[in-house]
Structure formats: C-alpha cells, structure tokens
Amino acid sequence: MSNQDPAHRSEAEDPAAEAHLFETDPNAPGRKHINPLLKMVLELGPLLVFFFANARGEWIAERVPFLADIGGPIFVGTACFMIATAIALSVSWALTRTLPIMPLLSGVIVLVFGALTLWLQDETFIKVKPTIINSMFGVILLGGLMFGKSFLGYVFDSAFRLDAEGWRILTLRWGLFFLAMALVNEVIWRNFSTDFWIAFKVWGNMPLSIVFTLLQLPLMQRHALPEEGEAPGK
C-alpha cells in the first residue's frame, strides 16, 4: 500500500511534469531554478579556469605531471578549460536534472576545438573558438526570434523575470552583441600576440559584457514581472 500523497501522485503522472533533458521555457510553470550566483559561476567559471591555467601553466604542470606532456601554457589552459566545462555541466545536471542549453552548446564546441588544439598542438583552434561560439550564439538568438523563441530567457531567468516583449528585445540586442564580439575576436587574434589575446579574452570580453548588461537595466526594469505573490505595479 502506497502512502504517497494523491497530489504528488497526480503530479508524477502528469505528462507536463515529466523530466526534461534540456531546460524548459523561462516562464514555464515548475521550472527548476538554481541560485543566480551559482549559475553565474557554472557558466563563467570555466573561462576563469582557462585564464588562470594559462597564466600559471608551468606551475600547474610541475604539480600535475601528465599535464607537462601536453605542451605550453595555452595547451594546459585548454585541457583545464575542457575539464572545468564538463564539471560545470555535470553540476547543472545534478542540481536541476536538465542541461542548460547555451552552456551546453558552448561546452560541445569547447570539447571539440579543445581536443583538436591538444591533438594537433595548434593554438589557432582555441583562438577561433570564441569567434565560432559568439557567432553561433548570435545566429541562435536572432534565428530563434524568427520562430518566436527568446532563447536568452533560458540563460538569465534565474536572475530576473521579464515579460515576453522584454525577453524579445533583450534577445535581439544580445544577438547583435554576440556577432559584434565575434568580429572583435577575429581582429584581436589575427593581429596581436597570444598573450594579448588571452588578456583581452578575460579583461576585455568580460568588462564589455558587464557594461553592455548594465546598459540593458532600463529595459529590464520596464519589462520586469512582479515577484510571485507580489501585486502587479509594486
């Protein structure tokens, strides 16, 4: 005899309550959320790991012997980047039983281009990766709008809640921003040293993204939805 609460049984039997492999729409009922700070760590953490591992590649290789056979600092950084990306996706799955769409797409490209970088010992592959990822994100975001999908909501819904129009405008702006950053990466890696490219990847890309995000605050305030239990207009 089962002591399971009837409400729980009906929820388990409801097809709409079935687990999803990928995260659901931003405003979908029952969507699982994780702490916004933790989500940011999971999505930006691998990039910080790459920067640190590249800067301290020789130090890391001395303490982790098998990394010494990989190559120079950028190859050590690439290996650590791949590991960190796999860990971040695994943690996301453990917490929500779904895979975050945007980090997943980025992770696939990281693993593919990272493997090519380590196998061929050609740093060009890892340098081109941001161009491909940013271009892909830009095309996905802008292409999704053509089908009425605001994919940006899948990334930022844990941080704030917007109405459909707000997500649409924000997705459009970020789509164009990603394409612009793809162009910037092409200019940087083709015309400057590897060290300059790595420095710009962290200290250039990140500040530009932060500034761009801050410029979107007025839009987000206009289209913010009230918190659950809060009366509209408050």
Side-chain angles (χ1 to χ4, degrees):
M1 180 183 232
S2 174
N3 295 324
Q4 187 177 12
D5 184 78
H8 289 170
R9 284 201 305 271
S10 62
E11 180 180 352
E13 295 168 359
D14 183 1
E18 293 180 358
H20 296 273
L21 177 60
F22 303 108
E23 56 185 341
T24 55
D25 291 338
N27 295 326
R31 176 178 167 130
K32 294 181 180 179
H33 298 277
I34 61 177
N35 182 279
L37 180 59
L38 176 58
K39 185 170 184 177
M40 183 178 296
V41 169
L42 293 176
E43 294 181 359
L44 297 181
L47 177 61
L48 297 178
V49 168
F50 172 69
F51 176 77
F52 174 80
N54 180 78
R56 303 297 301 274
E58 295 181 359
W59 180 85
I60 294 174
E62 291 176 357
R63 287 156 179 77
V64 185
F66 81 90
L67 290 178
D69 298 328
I70 290 179
I74 191 171
F75 300 109
V76 173
T78 299
C80 292
F81 193 14
M82 294 167 64
I83 295 171
T85 298
I87 291 175
L89 290 173
S90 299
V91 172
S92 292
W93 172 261
L95 293 175
T96 65
R97 291 301 172 185
T98 60
L99 292 173
I101 292 178
M102 300 299 274
L104 177 63
L105 293 175
S106 175
V108 169
I109 293 184
V110 166
L111 295 177
V112 171
F113 277 79
L116 287 173
T117 299
L118 297 176
W119 180 38
L120 301 176
Q121 290 289 292
D122 187 348
E123 63 187 39
T124 298
F125 287 102
I126 204 66
K127 289 181 177 180
V128 173
K129 182 185 68 64
T131 298
I132 295 178
I133 290 181
N134 284 323
S135 298
M136 180 188 68
F137 282 174
V139 170
I140 289 175
L141 292 179
L142 297 178
L145 290 177
M146 297 177 62
F147 296 93
K149 292 286 187 179
S150 299
F151 288 133
L152 196 67
Y154 290 85
V155 180
F156 291 122
D157 70 294
S158 292
F160 44 82
R161 300 174 66 239
L162 302 180
D163 59 28
E165 180 66 8
W167 283 127
R168 187 190 68 79
I169 298 174
L170 199 60
T171 297
L172 173 63
R173 293 181 180 182
W174 273 97
L176 296 175
F177 177 76
F178 278 126
L179 293 181
M181 292 306 295
L183 179 60
V184 169
N185 184 71
E186 281 297 291
V187 172
I188 295 295
W189 84 263
R190 291 179 183 276
N191 295 281
F192 296 90
S193 67
T194 296
D195 288 340
F196 184 87
W197 172 79
I198 292 172
F200 180 82
K201 185 176 172 63
V202 174
W203 306 116
N205 283 351
M206 193 171 296
L208 285 174
S209 298
I210 292 174
V211 169
F212 182 80
T213 300
L214 293 176
L215 292 175
Q216 310 313 308
L217 290 179
L219 169 70
M220 293 187 284
Q221 291 173 348
R222 289 196 302 271
H223 293 274
L225 293 174
E227 296 293 334
E228 294 182 4
E230 179 182 347
K234 289 189 179 180

